[in-house]
Structures are given as C-alpha cells and as structure tokens.
Amino acid sequence: RKSNETLIGPYNLGSKRMADLCNAGEAFAAPLPRVRRKVEQKDSELKIDRTPATREALGDKAWTQAARCSESATPELGDVVHVLLAFTILTVISAFVLIAHGVHVTLVLPPLRCWLEIYIASALASSLNMFIAIITWVLPPHQWPVLSSLLLLALLPLPYLIPPAWLKFQAPCVVGALLLWIGVWKGLDAAGGTGPTVGARRTGFRSLAAFWHLIHFMVPVEYRRRRDGSCEPDLMPIGNRHWPVFAGRLICRGAAFAMLLSAGECTVELAGTGWAIDMMREYYHTWIIFFQLAMTTDSSDLALSIFGCTPSVTFRDPLTRGTSPSDFWGRRWNLLVHRLFRRTIFQPLVLRGVPAAAAAALAFFVSGAFHEYAFFAAPAGRLNAPWLLGCNFGFFLVQAAIVALEKLLEKYLIPRLPSSLLCAAASPVGKVMQTGCSTLLLVPFAWMFMKPLAELGVLHDMKQLFPKLVPVYL
C-alpha cells in the first residue's frame, strides 16, 4: 500500500480505489481461518496429503488432479430435492386451480411400448459399444490410428438403417444414436492417443484390465481413475459404498420429472401464444431435456457405484446454479461430452498453438454436428423434415459467440468494476441474479435446439415417458 497511488497488475489505482480493495480484502480475509480449519478437517476425512513433499513427488498437475478427485469423491444430491419440492408445490397449486374452475384432472400412465423400444435401442447401442471395446483391445487404436478410425466411423450410419416400420416412436433411435456416438468418440479418443485407456496393458480377455476397458465403453459415464496414473478405477473401500445415494438421486429425479410434466400440462401447455408464453415453454422444454439426460447419466452412475467405482460428475445443477454461459457449458452441463471434447479437440489444438477461442468455437461446432447426427436418426427427421438440418449448428455457434463475448468482458471490463460491485456479485443474492442472467442468455435461443425435437416428435415422446396429471375437459 502506498499513500498516493498503487500499481496492481496493469492498472494504476488511486488511493481511494486501493482503500476499497483493502477493505474488501479484509472482509474476505476475516473468515479465512475458519475456512482453513474446515479444509484441514476435510483433508483428514478424505486422507488428502497436501504436503510439499507429496506435491513434489507427484508433480503439480498430478497432485492437483488427485486432490480435486478426492475432494469430489463423495456423491451429493445437489439441488434435486429442492427441485422436487418446487415442482410438487407447483403441480398441486395448478391442479387445485383447475379443479376449482371445473376442470377434471386425470393420471396418464406412460406407454410401455415406448420404454420397450428405448431399452431395445439402448441394448443394441451397448452391444455395438462392446464391439468397439473388443476391437480397440485387440487392435490398440493409437498403434493403428487410421484403420481404427475408419472402422469406428463406419458404425455411425447404423442407426439410420433401421426401417421406420419397426418403430412406433421417434425417441428410441435418438437414444441409440447418442449412446453409439459416445462409444465411437471414445474409440477416436483412444485412436488419437488422448484416451484414458491408451496406456492399459493388453494382458488377455480374462484380465481385470480388459474388464475395465469394456466398462469404459459400455457405460457412457466415465469412472475416476486411480491417483497413480493407471487406467484402473479408483475403487471405493468395502463398506463405503455410495450406491444408495445414487439410487436416491435417480428416484428423486424421476419423481421431479413426473411433477414437472404434470405442472407443464396444467400450466404451460394450456397457455396461448405470445413471446412471454413462448419463452416459458422453451424454459419448460429445457428442463425436460435436462431431466432426460440427467436420469440417463444417473443410471450409469448407479451401475458404476454398484461395481465399486466412483463415477465422474456429469451435471452440477446447471439450471439452478449456473452463473455464466462459460460456467454453464464448461463446469455444469453434460461434463461427459465436455471432457471428451476437451481431450480430443480443445487441448490438442491449444498445444499446437491454436488460440483458445478458436479451439472452443470448433468444439461448439462439433457439438452441433453431434446433435444434428443424433436428432436426425429419428425416422421422421431423415425422411420428412430435411429443412430442419442446421438448427443445432446455429444454436451452438450462437452459444460459442456468447461465451467468447463473456471472456472479453472478463478480461477488459470486470477488472475495472468497483470492488463493492464485485463483493455484491459474490453474495448469495448476486449468485441468484447471475443464474437468472445466464438463463436469459440461454432460453431466447433454445428454440433452435428444440425445433427439430418438436417437429420430429421426439419431444412429444419424452413427455410420455413418466406418469403425469393431465386436465380433461368434459
């Protein structure tokens, strides 16, 4: 601190500005001893060794990854209980209002054939992923990159070859295409030498390494590796299984999804037209997509936890805790695909000197191509609605531009903001406002993502998968 002015980084700050920063620093530093005690207590519970000797032995990168992995090893329910409670209250209020106006409300059960077709499509995709696991075990892709890549890419058209007469619903083909694409991309990840199973020692089909290699491809969600850098999972200690937590989270999400569908049928689906109603409807559809993906990954988490593995986190409450577009896409929404793209697209390009913004834009572009491929696997898409091709490209390119704009503001605007505003943004109320702003940057463009799903009937199938209350006009 100086009396007149102080130089911090590239900014020349006056004494008043410096005093504000010092006061803010004292306010943040006050609870530091209490936070430090909590961290040390958590370290002792998780047996994390943060000593300099351990860090020097492991290396900075490995030490950081080990600490991060251990700190998030215990599963949490997150906001799923609060979401279930909120949607339950909304459903009860909506149903009572309809009944008070003379409208009958009935319970509609999901069609069993839709679930059966989804299970069959998932089983076929898992079988193909098992074939990919066997091929990549026999022919290590990093040793035969061109041959293995061509063989993997040849599997992608298979969902498009299913005759439309075999299916009554559109969603099963989309589910199968999604699972197959994840398996193929994991194979390409191994072919590029960036996959986690590249260093696995090929010791025969009956070895434990072959079993975990098979699990890596058949289960979409990845498991956490051991801290020593090997490809084997970081198994939970006996008696410290977390599968009841994952099972409870899956049950709560299913109940919350049923309440969301009931609340939507009693409110949003009965509304008229207008930009505000359309925004509410797109927000409602965003929650439907989130629940579908989250319950799929929760099922994978449950399967891995039964095997004793610690599954990697896939969703971190993106719609209730996301504070910015980059926080939403990079740290909360579908981290399974985020990790795959980061390993195979972003990091290799950045290491070759490509700017980070260009590498991130390419990752968004590939994500758009992935969604175009999956959505148009529905028979109605590839036969009757070719004009919808390109909607997902547009959505993800818009999101890439928004994230790039956020990074520019982070670099040039935020350092010049007053410290009082930064402190207010870090408060709980400020976090809620940031979540609202992040949602406002997502929902107005969600129609580009939802339009193919709605036009192809996939969204309609998603709304039928769980029991729901539906108003009936006599």
Side-chain angles (χ1 to χ4, degrees):
R1 179 185 297 187
K2 293 182 179 179
S3 58
N4 294 327
E5 56 186 18
T6 305
L7 185 66
I8 299 181
Y11 304 107
N12 196 6
L13 304 176
S15 56
K16 184 178 183 304
R17 169 71 165 147
M18 185 60 193
D20 293 340
L21 286 177
C22 291
N23 293 333
E26 293 171 359
F28 280 118
L32 280 181
R34 183 171 68 254
V35 174
R36 190 179 296 111
R37 285 196 300 270
K38 289 184 178 180
V39 170
E40 292 173 354
Q41 180 182 359
K42 193 70 175 178
D43 290 350
S44 62
E45 293 175 359
L46 296 173
K47 297 180 175 58
I48 302 175
D49 189 3
R50 296 180 185 269
T51 59
T54 304
R55 181 167 188 169
E56 183 178 357
L58 292 176
D60 289 343
K61 185 176 181 180
W63 181 84
T64 305
Q65 291 177 349
R68 186 184 305 155
C69 176
S70 301
E71 288 171 354
S72 56
T74 304
E76 298 179 355
L77 290 177
D79 288 344
V80 62
V81 177
H82 302 93
V83 171
L84 172 60
L85 181 61
F87 286 148
T88 302
I89 295 174
L90 181 60
T91 301
V92 171
I93 294 175
S94 304
F96 271 112
V97 170
L98 290 177
I99 294 173
H101 286 78
V103 179
H104 292 269
V105 178
T106 184
L107 178 65
V108 176
L109 298 178
L112 294 180
R113 180 169 176 175
C114 186
W115 276 107
L116 179 62
E117 291 183 0
I118 288 177
Y119 281 130
I120 292 175
S122 302
L124 291 176
S126 298
S127 301
L128 291 173
N129 289 339
M130 182 174 64
F131 172 73
I132 295 173
I134 295 174
I135 292 299
T136 53
W137 186 261
V138 175
L139 298 174
H142 63 285
Q143 298 179 8
W144 306 87
V146 178
L147 177 62
S148 57
S149 298
L150 293 177
L151 183 61
L152 292 171
L153 293 175
L155 298 175
L156 289 178
L158 291 181
Y160 286 75
L161 302 179
I162 299 177
W166 291 7
L167 299 173
K168 183 180 179 181
F169 299 92
Q170 307 294 323
C173 277
V174 176
V175 173
L178 288 172
L179 296 177
L180 177 60
W181 180 90
I182 291 175
V184 169
W185 201 269
K186 286 182 178 180
L188 296 176
D189 186 19
T194 57
T197 61
V198 170
R201 186 175 58 179
R202 269 58 178 174
T203 55
F205 286 105
R206 296 184 180 181
S207 64
L208 191 61
F211 172 75
W212 292 120
H213 181 80
L214 183 66
I215 292 297
H216 172 71
F217 280 90
M218 290 192 65
V219 180
V221 176
E222 297 179 337
Y223 52 80
R224 296 187 185 275
R225 267 68 186 178
R226 291 167 54 182
R227 303 181 195 176
D228 57 3
S230 66
C231 300
E232 296 183 9
D234 186 11
L235 296 177
M236 304 176 191
I238 298 177
N240 191 25
R241 305 291 184 177
H242 296 312
W243 68 265
V245 180
F246 293 111
R249 189 171 64 185
L250 179 60
I251 293 172
C252 289
R253 278 226 171 97
F257 185 45
M259 290 299 170
L260 170 69
L261 295 176
S262 301
E265 291 289 341
C266 296
T267 55
V268 178
E269 300 292 348
L270 300 179
T273 59
W275 68 271
I277 299 299
D278 292 340
M279 291 274 287
M280 291 178 56
R281 192 172 286 115
E282 297 301 335
Y283 187 61
Y284 164 59
H285 292 163
T286 303
W287 273 101
I288 291 178
I289 299 299
F290 165 71
F291 274 118
Q292 290 290 329
L293 296 176
M295 285 188 293
T296 302
T297 56
D298 284 345
S299 303
S300 300
D301 292 346
L302 179 60
L304 290 176
S305 63
I306 291 175
F307 280 112
C309 302
T310 303
S312 299
V313 179
T314 309
F315 288 94
R316 288 194 176 98
D317 303 318
L319 296 176
T320 55
R321 293 186 181 272
T323 56
S324 66
S326 62
D327 180 63
F328 180 89
W329 293 110
R331 291 180 286 273
R332 298 188 179 277
W333 180 271
N334 202 351
L335 299 181
L336 166 64
V337 176
H338 171 76
R339 295 186 191 99
L340 287 174
F341 284 170
R342 187 173 184 84
R343 289 201 304 262
T344 57
I345 300 175
F346 184 82
Q347 289 180 344
L349 291 177
V350 171
L351 291 177
R352 286 169 173 80
V354 177
L362 181 60
F364 273 103
F365 180 82
V366 176
S367 181
F370 154 57
H371 287 84
E372 296 283 0
Y373 159 78
F375 292 170
F376 276 85
R382 60 178 184 262
L383 297 176
N384 304 323
W387 61 86
L388 295 174
L389 188 66
C391 290
N392 283 280
F393 276 120
F395 172 76
F396 283 101
L397 289 179
V398 168
Q399 294 302 310
I402 291 175
V403 171
L405 179 61
E406 177 198 345
K407 295 299 181 181
L408 288 177
L409 294 177
E410 240 179 47
K411 183 176 181 180
Y412 295 105
L413 179 62
I414 291 182
R416 292 176 170 82
L417 293 177
S419 57
S420 58
L421 184 59
L422 298 178
C423 293
S427 65
V429 177
K431 294 291 185 183
V432 172
M433 295 181 65
Q434 291 179 52
T435 302
C437 294
S438 177
T439 303
L440 290 177
L441 291 174
L442 173 69
V443 174
F445 305 100
W447 66 269
M448 291 187 285
F449 186 90
M450 301 297 175
K451 189 175 179 60
L453 294 176
E455 294 287 338
L456 302 179
V458 179
L459 199 57
H460 179 264
D461 293 346
M462 292 180 180
K463 296 178 182 179
Q464 300 184 40
L465 291 178
F466 276 75
K468 58 182 178 180
L469 298 177
V470 177
V472 178
Y473 295 90
L474 301 177

